């Protein structure tokens, strides 16, 4: 054991501290990836439970203004009332399939007087930079089926244009622009209208069910941490051999290792010679 006393030196203590710090960093990154996977799995669960579920009245899903909760995301809700077509808005910088475009937002006033924002879909950008032709929302009484989504945040440095083009679906900003109270905790992605118009903006695509590579990344960070400790052990072994090169026992072990390497090389040479003879 005295031959390993060098590992108790200050130098090796610093090596150990560095490896421990590296392992702690890897563990933190692995934990972060696991948390991201858990969040993705929770999102997938909500999609599977809510996306194709039977629609429920808006008043049941959101009994009070601001009562939206994450477990209601993608839930289909039913609204009856009329679109406020004169208050139609668009949101810029919404590419789809590599084509830039806009989301079309129309406030919907329910029979109870509640105003709920509906995203009717996507339209491409025109040559002049404005939205292309936007199909009109149905006039008069209509029943709408929409999927609940939480409002978006603001975009740093981006503002609403003088013509009312929004940078994001930030519901407080929508309320400010419209000058009328709007449901603040959620809006709806249009799923259907009755009566249905002849045409409408392109509907939102079904969300993908994909956990992503987070679990494999977490495993990789754990492997990196283990490699750090493995590297420390390897370095210790190499220094041990260097310090004890004159020891007869260590010399015998070195000779055994050299002999094994020679045998492996000899076997490989024989295989190569056999292959050459076949050619």
């Amino acid at each position: 054991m005295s031959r390993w006393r060098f590992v108790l030196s200050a130098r090796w203590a610093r090596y150990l501290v560095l490896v421990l710090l590296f392992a702690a960093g890897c563990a933190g990154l692995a934990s972060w990836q696991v948390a991201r996977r858990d969040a993705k799995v929770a999102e997938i669960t909500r999609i599977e439970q809510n996306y194709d579920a039977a629609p429920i009245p808006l008043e049941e899903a959101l009994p009070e203004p601001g009562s939206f909760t994450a477990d209601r995301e993608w839930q289909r809700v039913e609204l009856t009332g009329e679109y406020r077509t004169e208050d139609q808005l668009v949101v810029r910088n919404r590419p789809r399939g590599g084509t830039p475009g806009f989301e079309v937002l129309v406030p919907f006033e329910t029979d109870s007087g509640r105003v709920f924002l509906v995203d009717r879909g996507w339209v491409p950008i025109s040559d002049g930079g404005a939205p292309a032709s936007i199909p009109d929302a149905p006039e008069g009484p209509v029943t709408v089926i929409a999927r609940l989504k939480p409002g978006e945040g603001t975009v740093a440095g981006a503002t609403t244009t003088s013509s009312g083009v929004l940078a994001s679906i930030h519901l407080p900003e929508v309320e400010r622009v419209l000058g009328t109270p709007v449901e603040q905790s959620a809006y709806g992605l249009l799923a259907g209208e009755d009566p249905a118009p002849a045409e409408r903006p392109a509907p939102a695509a079904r969300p993908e069910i994909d956990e992503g590579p987070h679990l494999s990344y977490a495993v990789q960070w754990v492997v990196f941490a283990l490699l750090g400790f493995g590297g420390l052990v390897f370095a210790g072994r190499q220094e041990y051999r260097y310090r004890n090169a004159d020891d007869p026992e260590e010399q015998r072990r070195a000779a055994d290792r050299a002999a094994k390497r020679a045998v492996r090389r000899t076997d490989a040479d024989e295989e190569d010679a056999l292959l050459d003879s076949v050619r």
Side-chain angles (χ1 to χ4, degrees):
M1 184 63 186
S2 60
R3 296 175 183 175
W4 288 93
R5 291 183 62 86
F6 66 89
V7 299
L8 301 179
S9 65
R11 176 168 59 88
W12 276 89
R14 290 193 293 271
Y15 292 164
L16 178 60
V17 169
L18 288 174
V19 170
L20 290 173
L21 290 174
F22 174 74
C26 291
L29 291 168
S31 177
W32 173 59
Q33 289 292 347
V34 169
R36 293 186 66 187
R37 176 183 179 270
D38 290 344
K40 192 64 177 179
V41 168
E43 180 183 353
I44 290 172
T45 300
R46 285 195 298 271
I47 294 171
E48 292 175 340
Q49 291 177 347
N50 296 340
Y51 196 86
D52 294 317
I56 60 176
L58 177 66
E59 290 71 19
E60 180 180 338
L62 303 176
E64 297 178 359
S67 58
F68 174 82
T69 55
D71 62 306
R72 287 293 191 186
E73 186 175 6
W74 301 110
Q75 171 66 53
R76 291 197 297 171
V77 295
E78 181 178 283
L79 309 90
T80 57
E82 296 186 12
Y83 280 112
R84 294 172 52 167
T85 54
E86 70 279 7
D87 290 328
Q88 178 174 280
L89 300 169
V90 294
V91 187
R92 63 183 181 269
N93 296 330
R94 298 290 164 139
R96 182 176 296 193
T99 302
F102 299 81
E103 294 289 330
V104 180
L105 310 177
V106 186
F108 188 91
E109 186 169 353
T110 67
D111 292 337
S112 63
R114 198 169 179 179
V115 179
F116 183 76
L117 189 68
V118 175
D119 181 345
R120 297 194 66 241
W122 179 87
V123 294
I125 194 170
S126 67
D127 292 339
S133 177
I134 301 176
D136 294 330
E139 297 283 353
V142 61
T143 299
V144 166
I145 305 297
R147 292 184 172 90
L148 294 178
K149 288 288 290 179
E152 300 175 354
T154 58
V155 178
T159 58
T160 302
T161 68
S162 58
S163 58
V165 179
L166 303 171
S168 70
I169 309 177
H170 184 54
L171 296 172
E173 177 66 5
V174 172
E175 182 174 280
R176 186 194 69 80
V177 171
L178 295 179
T180 188
V182 175
E183 169 61 45
Q184 291 292 290
S185 60
Y187 69 99
L189 292 176
L190 181 63
E193 296 166 319
D194 185 19
E199 59 176 320
R200 55 165 286 192
R206 187 185 184 98
E208 294 184 1
I209 305 298
D210 182 13
E211 291 184 11
H214 305 300
L215 184 59
S216 62
Y217 287 164
V219 172
Q220 288 177 17
W221 284 115
V222 172
V223 171
F224 290 155
L226 295 176
L227 287 175
F229 286 106
L232 184 67
V233 172
F234 177 79
R237 183 59 182 168
Q238 290 298 102
E239 182 162 342
Y240 172 86
R241 291 173 178 173
Y242 174 77
R243 287 174 175 269
N244 297 277
D246 295 335
D247 181 73
E249 182 64 21
E250 184 58 30
Q251 290 177 349
R252 184 188 63 78
R253 292 174 182 170
D256 290 342
R257 290 193 296 271
K260 290 178 180 178
R261 287 195 295 270
V263 168
R264 286 196 294 270
R265 285 197 297 271
T266 301
D267 291 342
D269 292 340
E270 291 177 356
E271 292 175 359
D272 291 341
L274 180 60
L275 291 173
D276 290 340
S277 65
V278 172
R279 296 193 190 100

